[in-house]
Amino acid sequence: MTWLDQEIEKLKASSKDYKDRALLHVLHLYLKETQKRIDDAKGQLDGQMWSPRDW
Amino acid sequence: MKTLILNAHPNPGNSHTQQFLYEALGGQATYVDLSQEDPEVSHLKDYDRIIFQFPLYWYGAPARLKDWLDQKLTGKEGFLAGKDLGLVVAFDTPEKDYGAGAKNRYTVSEMLRPYEMLANFFGMDYLPPFSLFQWRYLSPEEQWEALVAYRLYVLGPKRPSFAQKGAWLLQELAHIEGSQLLSSYLSDQLDELADLNDLLKGEQA
């Protein structure tokens, strides 16, 4: 379990509000997608830096 | 932003879906049950976003909405200019039944065109309809996702980009006790992604 997983589960467990738990669940999905986009963008930048065509 | 929801379900108190949506609002929008109230059109001018919310009955809204529109909605062209019109539609049938070649042949957007025409007449910005298909068959996680998506549609930025959705989630997160670390992480992630995207645009220019 990552830090993020633990943090989300901790907040969900302490929340009495159904809407808050829903928000935390969606936020968890959103953050995973954000990390994926960050990794993709970094990969794309790396690829462009090492592309002879772009030198 | 002020949102008005006009609910045209004949008996929303007896509907699990409508109760779910009502609870999802948390009192953050003005909610009118058209089966109990008969608001004047002038009332609409007080709001930035107006939502017609209803279960689909024979490819349209229940009669109460049409009744209210026919009796009350007299106004000049452009009367509600600049305001948003959104639709929240609950379906008892699956999503796959709507579309070219599907059981019902037409998309949801095509089916709801009269409301888009109404919005156009009154100078409103017509939002893509929000569809909720077979709520009772959704898993708990899917219900959570539907709840947040509904709140974003009704209360948040219209047609949000990925970044705008993140900014809205950050706002929503602020009221959860103990969420500062998570807020900070989200904020950092959004900044990092924005910076990387700017760099990519620069590289491609």
Side-chain angles (χ1 to χ4, degrees):
Chain A
M1 230 191 192
T2 65
W3 164 83
L4 179 61
D5 295 337
Q6 287 176 343
E7 188 65 18
I8 296 275
E9 288 310 310
K10 185 188 84 183
L11 287 171
K12 269 190 196 169
S14 64
S15 171
K16 293 183 180 66
D17 190 318
Y18 179 79
K19 294 191 299 300
D20 288 351
R21 291 199 296 279
L23 177 69
L24 289 164
H25 167 76
V26 168
L27 183 62
H28 199 182
L29 296 173
Y30 182 86
L31 282 166
K32 286 183 190 174
E33 175 62 25
T34 306
Q35 187 58 55
K36 183 182 172 301
R37 290 186 186 212
I38 286 171
D39 293 342
D40 286 348
K42 283 178 177 172
Q44 218 176 319
L45 275 167
D46 280 345
Q48 284 170 8
M49 275 197 297
W50 289 105
S51 168
R53 278 182 315 179
D54 298 325
W55 289 348
Chain B
M1 187 188 67
K2 289 177 67 179
T3 300
L4 171 68
I5 296 177
L6 298 171
N7 191 329
H9 191 291
N11 193 350
N14 269 5
S15 161
H16 288 300
T17 305
Q18 296 303 325
Q19 285 302 299
F20 166 77
L21 294 174
Y22 180 77
E23 295 298 331
L25 284 174
Q28 287 177 268
T30 302
Y31 176 91
V32 170
D33 175 357
L34 287 177
S35 71
Q36 302 293 323
E37 297 177 63
D38 200 20
E40 294 304 320
V41 160
S42 53
H43 193 46
L44 269 56
K45 287 207 120 193
D46 297 338
Y47 297 89
D48 306 297
R49 183 170 297 168
I50 291 140
I51 305 282
F52 293 163
Q53 181 168 309
F54 52 87
L56 193 75
Y57 281 13
W58 286 116
Y59 311 114
R64 180 60 188 122
L65 181 60
K66 190 65 168 64
D67 250 349
W68 182 80
L69 290 170
D70 288 348
Q71 288 167 25
K72 297 286 185 172
L73 209 63
T74 56
K76 294 180 197 137
E77 211 164 332
F79 172 67
L80 296 168
K83 297 182 188 298
D84 302 334
L85 178 65
L87 303 179
V88 171
V89 186
F91 293 75
D92 223 14
T93 44
E95 187 173 4
K96 66 177 178 60
D97 283 358
Y98 297 88
K103 182 178 178 184
N104 290 311
R105 301 206 182 181
Y106 298 97
T107 64
V108 170
S109 288
E110 286 168 316
M111 188 176 65
L112 297 172
R113 286 276 185 245
Y115 299 103
E116 185 170 4
M117 294 168 78
L118 193 78
N120 180 60
F121 180 84
F122 286 110
M124 301 174 85
D125 183 7
Y126 181 70
L127 306 181
F130 180 92
S131 301
L132 187 55
F133 294 97
Q134 301 184 302
W135 176 83
R136 66 181 186 279
Y137 293 148
L138 298 181
S139 67
E141 290 78 18
E142 286 168 333
Q143 286 183 0
W144 279 340
E145 287 157 38
L147 185 154
V148 176
Y150 173 69
R151 283 180 58 83
L152 176 59
Y153 184 79
V154 166
L155 303 169
K158 49 187 174 182
R159 303 182 192 87
S161 63
F162 185 77
Q164 285 172 321
K165 183 179 176 183
W168 180 78
L169 286 170
L170 192 58
Q171 259 181 269
E172 291 279 287
L173 191 56
H175 77 274
I176 296 184
E177 211 176 298
S179 67
Q180 292 87 343
L181 206 54
L182 201 53
S183 289
S184 188
Y185 179 70
L186 172 59
S187 191
D188 289 346
Q189 290 287 84
L190 290 174
D191 287 343
E192 185 176 1
L193 184 59
D195 290 343
L196 285 166
N197 283 335
D198 286 341
L199 277 170
L200 277 169
K201 281 182 204 154
E203 288 280 323
Q204 284 158 8

